[in-house]
Amino acid sequence: MKAVLIPGDGIGPEIAKSVENITEAMKLDIEWITYQAGAEYATTTKEVFEPGLVDAIKEYKWALKGPTATPIGTGFRSVNVALRQQFATYANVRPIRSFKGIDSKYENIDLVMIRENTEDLYKGIEYMINDNMANGIKLITREASEKICRYAFEYAKMNNRHKVTAIHKANIMKYTDGLFLEAFRDVARDYPNIEAQEVIVDNMCMQLVLRPETFDVLVAPNLYGDIVSDLCAGLIGGLGFAPSGNIGDEYRIYEAVHGSAPDIAGQNIANPSALLLAFALMLEAMGKLEEANQLRDALAAVVEEGKIVTPDIGGTATTTEFTQAIIEKL
Ligand code: NAD
């Protein structure tokens, strides 16, 4: 099958190469169709996407994306926001699992953060009232709230998880977060075997730090989801091992959570783990569960041994050597 690969900016091409090498080594029946996007592409072409990229995702439905930078102050759109809108990927899903061999304050973390991806304060409805006063609109709809909450409960059901926690601030934002919570309660009624819990966002941050093991699947509107998902990444030692999936009804775009790391770009020392884990998520969703687990296990084994790993996790290996070590485990 064909899938779109967007290497992106900075370290993107180096970590995308790792994905290509692993695809080849595992003899997966995936043919990557590569398209350029991001700030580097924009500087020469004045466009953030290579022509044909959008049509290719429409045709093949699956995409794996490296990090892309947004040229600041140039009027260019963010590639991420443009893709999200174009393909109506309403859910951002981030599994958060501890990795043995990674320095972190917690062990055995196993959470899934599901974030609404299309509305809330990120809708971009902002304006200046006067030179010293700005207004931003928090837009929440019942439709999007029900859709994301149902996605969270379905995810829990399909993945044998037992609890879904809604993150909100409905005590203060009675209409917007109130509507989100109402939708959560309505949807929860359809899943009597899954515990539905409601936690106010500030308390949620504290509870996650104190007792992360008491949570399972988390669902939140866009802004809280953005913040709490990075908090969750902190629980497992940072963004280095954080993949995510942007899920729509028809299209799925997977990516690493970290950025383009311009400070280390071009040196062949970037850690490809997050993009490889995003690739594993994609394989899983394609129904290739065994291959997804093989890839995750091989990666975990190399990281746990800690001998051939990249500098960000305490090693001296290059991206190429690290990838080769994973291939040998496979
Ligand atoms: P960043 O994640 O790129 O880098 C933060 C730090 O982490 C840097 O020191 C970097 O070297 C390190 N790092 C990140 N990924 C790494 C990897 N795979 N291996 C080793 N080290 C890694 O964050 P930033 O510096 O804030 O952003 C840089 C650019 O990336 C910005 O233009 C930003 O807009 C963009 N960005 C894109 C995405 C995306 O496309 N999904 C996400 C975040 C940031």
Side-chain angles (χ1 to χ4, degrees):
M1 69 199 295
K2 290 183 178 169
V4 173
L5 182 64
I6 306 166
D9 288 312
I11 59 170
E14 297 159 64
I15 58 177
K17 182 80 197 148
S18 173
V19 169
E20 288 177 305
N21 291 346
I22 289 206
T23 307
E24 201 184 314
M26 290 181 79
K27 299 190 171 46
L28 296 167
D29 67 337
I30 293 175
E31 185 189 337
W32 292 113
I33 312 292
T34 303
Y35 282 92
Q36 304 305 322
E40 286 158 35
Y41 183 75
T43 50
T44 49
T45 60
K46 311 287 172 229
E47 297 288 338
V48 285
F49 292 152
E50 190 176 339
L53 168 61
V54 168
D55 287 342
I57 299 178
K58 279 187 184 155
E59 187 173 351
Y60 306 128
K61 319 276 190 221
W62 301 93
L64 183 65
K65 183 188 153 294
T68 45
T70 307
I72 295 171
T74 54
F76 280 114
R77 291 170 80 199
S78 145
V79 172
N80 296 325
V81 174
L83 287 177
R84 227 170 269 163
Q85 287 174 355
Q86 175 86 37
F87 293 104
T89 49
Y90 66 90
N92 181 269
V93 182
R94 282 204 209 176
I96 297 124
R97 278 195 206 111
S98 297
F99 244 79
K100 289 206 174 75
I102 295 301
D103 200 16
S104 130
K105 297 204 184 321
Y106 303 88
E107 285 172 4
N108 304 322
I109 298 284
D110 184 10
L111 299 167
V112 181
M113 176 82 229
I114 295 175
R115 160 186 170 195
E116 204 288 323
N117 225 0
T118 63
E119 55 181 30
D120 195 353
L121 278 164
Y122 290 7
K123 192 81 187 166
I125 311 170
E126 275 195 312
Y127 59 96
M128 298 301 294
I129 294 171
N130 61 41
D131 284 352
N132 300 307
M133 204 184 286
N135 194 14
I137 291 176
K138 178 172 161 101
L139 187 94
I140 300 281
T141 64
R142 177 176 282 278
E143 191 189 354
S145 302
E146 278 187 4
K147 203 165 178 176
I148 196 70
C149 291
R150 191 161 300 282
Y151 183 86
F153 278 96
E154 278 297 312
Y155 185 100
K157 191 168 119 188
M158 305 300 282
N159 291 280
N160 212 10
R161 289 178 173 268
H162 306 293
K163 178 156 106 172
V164 179
T165 305
I167 304 171
H168 68 95
K169 189 83 189 178
N171 51 329
I172 306 293
M173 275 165 276
K174 295 186 191 306
Y175 293 104
T176 49
D177 285 2
L179 187 57
F180 178 82
L181 208 52
E182 226 176 81
F184 175 77
R185 289 175 186 162
D186 286 349
V187 172
R189 273 187 220 108
D190 295 340
Y191 300 85
N193 299 325
I194 298 172
E195 185 187 340
Q197 182 189 31
E198 298 166 7
V199 181
I200 293 173
V201 60
D202 37 357
N203 183 27
M204 187 71 202
C205 293
M206 182 178 73
Q207 296 300 333
L208 273 169
V209 172
L210 289 175
R211 286 178 277 277
E213 71 285 355
T214 59
F215 297 102
D216 194 350
V217 175
L218 315 176
V219 64
N222 211 339
L223 174 69
Y224 309 143
D226 190 10
I227 297 167
V228 174
S229 56
D230 269 28
L231 189 158
C232 289
L235 300 176
I236 58 160
L239 294 180
F241 290 80
S244 83
N246 294 294
I247 314 292
D249 288 329
E250 270 192 88
Y251 308 103
R252 289 164 178 246
I253 302 172
Y254 293 85
E255 62 181 335
V257 171
H258 62 70
S260 58
D263 51 335
I264 58 161
Q267 299 174 37
N268 195 22
I269 54 166
N271 183 349
S273 297
L275 194 63
L276 291 174
L277 289 171
F279 180 34
L281 279 185
M282 180 173 165
L283 289 173
E284 198 177 289
M286 286 171 157
K288 300 176 192 293
L289 186 59
E290 200 178 316
E291 290 87 340
N293 285 334
Q294 274 170 7
L295 173 54
R296 282 192 280 248
D297 290 348
L299 171 60
V302 174
V303 172
E304 191 175 354
E305 275 176 18
K307 282 191 240 145
I308 311 175
V309 292
T310 45
D312 58 303
I313 47 173
T316 54
T318 62
T319 312
T320 318
E321 288 162 346
F322 181 60
T323 307
Q324 194 51 40
I326 298 168
I327 291 173
E328 268 152 40
K329 288 278 179 223
L330 283 163

